[in-house]
Amino acid sequence: QIKINNYYYGDLIYDSYLRYRNLPTVNLNDKYLDYIIYNTIKYIDIFEKYSKNIDIFFSIYSTYVEFGLPVRVFLKNKKKVITDGNNQYFKVLTKKDWSHVENYSNFRKDFKKIKDKQNCINISKKIIKNYFFNQNNKSSIYSYLNKNFFTNKKNSKIKNLDGVIFLPNFFEAQREWGKILFNDFYEWIFFTIDLLKKANLKFMIKPHPNINTINKESKIVVEEIKLRYPEIKWLSSNESNYKIFKSVKFGISMWGSVLWELAYFKKIAIACGNHPGKNYNFIFTPRNIKEFEKLVFNINKIKNKRYKIEEIYEYIYMFMLKN
């Protein structure tokens, strides 16, 4: 909640600490944290003075101090700010929407403005079916994955499971999509494991698919989880979600793309923070930790959400295809 000159910077400081200190959670006694806070204050003053000399500021992202700080200072000083970090298009930011990612709160409203809605649904439907069922070696949806993990459909040893926890990259920007229920992903995973154990649920954990390529640092957290909970069983990061979905009732992710995949296969999808599908009806998004606990303890009693499959087609079109 750190505010400087009536503007929030605490989320940038937190995420920058995780990324550049290369630790999965914040140590409040670490002098490196003091160093980041000191530099944040210093550079706010520098960019405040520099803003008099510019009209437009271009940035890749709006996360972390190095990108987010000038973005917020220049917006505060009524400068035009443009980012291109969402992989689809250049985005003009505003004081109300200062994130480089898509503004998911407008997805449903903007879709209603499209004239040929059925054609958009058909395009989305075709791409989703191609991704799940056509055995393509390359993912037709996710540019950041080097392979399509749904092509691996050999017999699986997954049996008698209630659910799976899908791990994130523990060192990425934690609040890229907005608020999360916990201070960071590290606190979330240990709380979630303890919660599922208290609820006597049978579960396994799956690391992020990129853990052996671009997110290798997350292996540190995986090893710590294994040391703390040697009894927990693990899935391979290459395990096909198709096989997992055939064997479970629910899946939990902080805000990962696996949530809509779970919903597509009629499984209970539970998020623990804001995510791009939040305003649709196919994902459970608890508003606080108490709601999260209640949801987990009643997982075998609750019925899945009622929604039309067209909601997912619409969401994928707006999130991944529209621009």
Side-chain angles (χ1 to χ4, degrees):
Q1 296 298 314
I2 290 178
K3 264 178 126 179
I4 303 166
N5 297 345
N6 294 317
Y7 240 53
Y8 283 105
Y9 294 94
D11 57 330
L12 302 178
I13 292 167
Y14 203 109
D15 287 349
S16 294
Y17 177 91
L18 302 186
R19 168 55 66 188
Y20 299 110
R21 191 69 172 90
N22 206 30
L23 290 174
T25 193
V26 167
N27 175 2
L28 294 177
N29 297 317
D30 191 343
K31 291 195 178 296
Y32 188 76
L33 179 61
D34 299 337
Y35 170 78
I36 293 176
I37 294 171
Y38 168 77
N39 275 295
T40 300
I41 296 168
K42 181 176 73 173
Y43 280 101
I44 286 172
D45 184 55
I46 290 171
F47 282 116
E48 284 279 5
K49 294 174 182 175
Y50 188 69
S51 66
K52 299 172 185 177
N53 302 317
I54 70 158
D55 297 310
I56 303 174
F57 176 63
F58 288 91
S59 178
I60 300 174
Y61 304 114
S62 62
T63 48
Y64 307 116
V65 169
E66 63 177 312
F67 303 112
L69 188 154
V71 162
R72 294 184 189 182
V73 170
F74 292 141
L75 285 173
K76 177 174 171 284
N77 285 282
K78 299 180 180 180
K79 305 299 178 178
K80 191 169 187 177
V81 177
I82 300 172
T83 58
D84 69 339
N86 61 12
N87 299 320
Q88 290 194 41
Y89 50 84
F90 289 102
K91 180 180 177 182
V92 179
L93 306 189
T94 67
K95 286 184 180 180
K96 292 184 178 180
D97 178 17
W98 57 25
S99 174
H100 65 264
V101 296
E102 293 86 347
N103 187 349
Y104 62 84
S105 62
N106 292 334
F107 282 173
R108 305 203 81 169
K109 180 177 67 176
D110 289 345
F111 187 78
K112 288 180 180 179
K113 299 175 183 177
I114 296 174
K115 292 182 179 179
D116 193 355
K117 296 181 181 64
Q118 190 56 51
N119 183 51
C120 297
I121 293 292
N122 291 341
I123 292 170
S124 183
K125 182 177 180 180
K126 182 178 178 181
I127 285 180
I128 289 173
K129 287 196 170 183
N130 181 58
Y131 173 63
F132 286 136
F133 305 114
N134 283 357
Q135 300 290 303
N136 291 334
N137 291 325
K138 183 76 172 70
S139 170
S140 57
I141 292 182
Y142 306 122
S143 60
Y144 58 87
L145 294 178
N146 58 10
K147 63 183 292 188
N148 182 352
F149 292 102
F150 276 86
T151 60
N152 177 17
K153 296 180 182 177
K154 296 178 182 178
N155 291 331
S156 175
K157 296 179 180 178
I158 306 170
K159 292 181 180 178
N160 302 320
L161 277 187
D162 293 312
V164 168
I165 303 173
F166 295 88
L167 297 186
N169 168 19
F170 287 91
F171 296 87
E172 64 188 331
Q174 312 275 289
R175 294 164 183 80
E176 189 170 54
W177 295 104
K179 294 181 180 179
I180 56 178
L181 296 188
F182 299 84
N183 287 319
D184 49 52
F185 297 169
Y186 181 84
E187 292 186 7
W188 162 78
I189 185 55
F190 291 110
F191 182 93
T192 301
I193 290 171
D194 289 336
L195 180 61
L196 294 184
K197 285 168 68 70
K198 286 178 187 175
N200 292 317
L201 294 169
K202 296 176 182 177
F203 66 96
M204 294 179 75
I205 301 177
K206 182 184 177 184
H208 193 278
N210 282 346
I211 195 168
N212 293 312
T213 53
I214 60 175
N215 300 143
K216 292 181 181 180
E217 62 268 37
S218 288
K219 289 182 179 181
I220 299 169
V221 183
V222 168
E223 290 307 312
E224 184 176 345
I225 297 169
K226 289 179 177 179
L227 284 172
R228 284 205 204 183
Y229 306 95
E231 75 282 5
I232 290 179
K233 295 180 179 179
W234 288 76
L235 293 159
S236 165
S237 60
N238 294 326
E239 184 70 79
S240 166
N241 282 355
Y242 180 83
K243 291 190 295 186
I244 296 172
F245 298 158
K246 289 178 68 176
S247 309
V248 301
K249 181 177 181 179
F250 72 90
I252 299 176
S253 170
M254 180 59 82
W255 41 250
S257 54
V258 71
L259 293 165
W260 76 265
E261 295 180 3
L262 283 157
Y264 181 87
F265 286 93
K266 301 297 181 183
K267 305 300 177 180
I268 295 172
I270 303 173
C272 290
N274 286 1
H275 54 91
K278 183 182 177 183
N279 292 336
Y280 290 88
N281 194 41
F282 47 83
I283 295 169
F284 288 90
T285 309
R287 291 171 295 181
N288 50 55
I289 292 176
K290 284 189 176 180
E291 280 193 11
F292 178 41
E293 291 176 313
K294 185 177 179 181
L295 191 58
V296 169
F297 274 109
N298 291 282
I299 202 76
N300 287 318
K301 297 177 184 178
I302 63 173
K303 294 181 179 179
N304 204 351
K305 285 175 169 284
R306 292 183 179 180
Y307 55 87
K308 294 179 180 179
I309 195 69
E310 283 75 18
E311 276 193 63
I312 296 179
Y313 295 148
E314 175 188 320
Y315 162 69
I316 292 299
Y317 181 80
M318 295 302 295
F319 181 42
M320 297 182 176
L321 304 174
K322 180 174 182 287
N323 291 290

